[in-house]
Amino acid sequence: MGAPERAASPTSSFPAGASVELTVTSPERMQELGRGLAGLLRAGDLVMLTGELGAGKTTLTRGLGEGLGVRGAVTSPTFVIARVHPSLGDGPPLVHVDAYRLGGGLDEMEDLDLDVSLSDSVIVVEWGEGKVEELTDDRLHVLIHRAEGDTTDEVRRVTLRGVGERWGAGGG
């Protein structure tokens, strides 16, 4: 049917070494995309979200949390920097980080004193580009773009790019 359908139900396996571009037409569809992506994630995965304020990073993460079946409302962790959402079942917890105010990478992540092991969790980092890549060689980078200067248009262009062997892509 086209890009919006694709956004609502991403492929069951990420294409090796490729970027996937999707069009998302509403916040509800962004949340659906997150729910679909959750089916691709496992403990130890790092998801980096890049996009301007209001692009939909937290909305996507809310969908990831629903898809992973975690406890607690997924909201922006801007002021607390990180939130841990334990699994309601046997899946991994979701660690949701807002790295906007973090200057460095791994050292500052460790300083957050999260009560879970990073390798046992799905970690989603907003504003993480240039800050958290050293956490792992493998990551899913989600870039969310909206029309420049238009704060009323809900259409987003989303690019999913896998990095590392886990996602079938060799480089950064």
Side-chain angles (χ1 to χ4, degrees):
M1 177 179 199
E5 283 303 310
R6 192 169 176 201
S9 98
T11 59
S12 60
S13 63
F14 199 81
S19 289
V20 175
E21 293 200 20
L22 308 166
T23 299
V24 179
T25 57
S26 69
E28 294 78 20
R29 300 293 277 186
M30 185 68 77
Q31 205 162 330
E32 270 183 56
L33 174 60
R35 284 192 297 270
L37 286 174
L40 301 177
L41 300 175
R42 62 184 186 213
D45 280 344
L46 171 65
V47 180
M48 285 179 22
L49 303 180
T50 301
E52 63 188 51
L53 285 171
K57 298 179 297 294
T58 299
T59 301
L60 179 77
T61 306
R62 190 171 297 121
L64 287 170
E66 289 174 6
L68 290 170
V70 299
R71 186 180 72 210
V74 175
T75 59
S76 178
T78 300
F79 298 106
V80 295
I81 301 179
R83 283 195 171 92
V84 177
H85 297 274
S87 176
L88 292 170
D90 59 358
L94 172 68
V95 178
H96 184 197
V97 178
D98 185 330
Y100 185 77
R101 295 185 293 155
L102 297 180
L106 188 55
D107 290 340
E108 286 194 41
M109 287 289 291
E110 288 176 350
D111 288 345
L112 294 176
D113 199 25
L114 301 173
D115 62 351
V116 295
S117 167
L118 297 179
S119 64
D120 295 332
S121 307
V122 169
I123 300 156
V124 176
V125 183
E126 298 185 26
W127 304 99
E129 193 168 12
K131 299 176 183 175
V132 298
E133 289 89 342
E134 65 193 60
L135 288 173
T136 178
D137 291 334
D138 301 306
R139 59 192 167 276
L140 179 61
H141 194 169
V142 180
L143 297 98
I144 305 172
H145 304 279
R146 68 177 183 189
E148 295 238 353
D150 187 349
T151 59
T152 59
D153 187 1
E154 294 184 342
V155 175
R156 304 291 190 260
R157 191 176 75 249
V158 178
T159 303
L160 307 172
R161 187 177 71 228
V163 176
E165 288 183 32
R166 157 76 171 101
W167 298 102

